[in-house]
Amino acid sequence: MVRSKGSNLTLRQLGTLLTCHTTPGPHTVRGLSEAVGTHKPAISRAVDVLENHKLVRRSSDPTDRRSVLIDTTKAGNALCRGFETSKRVSTSGPPPRNVLD
């Protein structure tokens, strides 16, 4: 489980969010299930949680009323950028000497 400012996300939910953030959207449940490598019902449940946390939004597909489009919100993008920043910091090499002393 990944914890972030009031949001407890599972790895599947985080993977779904990061996929939405890093690949051009909007996305469908089918496309996300293929990208994440899991079944559509699991993606639907992940999107439910992400939508409740206001990290993604669903909208009607204007070209196909049966389909729903999923895209990240400003809050979702900000959370993903925070992960990108912390990854750069954590992989940028050893800490300065004064941190170790």
Side-chain angles (χ1 to χ4, degrees), residues 7-77:
S7 299
N8 294 331
L9 302 178
T10 65
L11 290 177
R12 180 171 292 140
Q13 293 160 359
L14 182 60
T16 302
L17 178 62
L18 288 170
T19 300
C20 286
H21 175 72
T22 59
T23 58
H27 305 277
T28 62
V29 169
R30 176 180 291 187
L32 287 171
S33 70
E34 291 170 3
V36 174
T38 193
H39 300 287
K40 291 187 289 185
I43 294 297
S44 289
R45 288 188 300 272
V47 169
D48 287 343
V49 172
L50 295 170
E51 189 175 35
N52 286 339
H53 287 296
K54 300 185 183 339
L55 299 173
V56 299
R57 70 178 149 267
R58 288 181 167 117
S59 59
S60 299
D61 185 341
T63 62
D64 183 356
R65 293 184 303 178
R66 298 168 297 167
S67 186
V68 174
L69 302 177
I70 302 156
D71 208 355
T72 52
T73 62
K74 288 181 182 181
N77 287 325

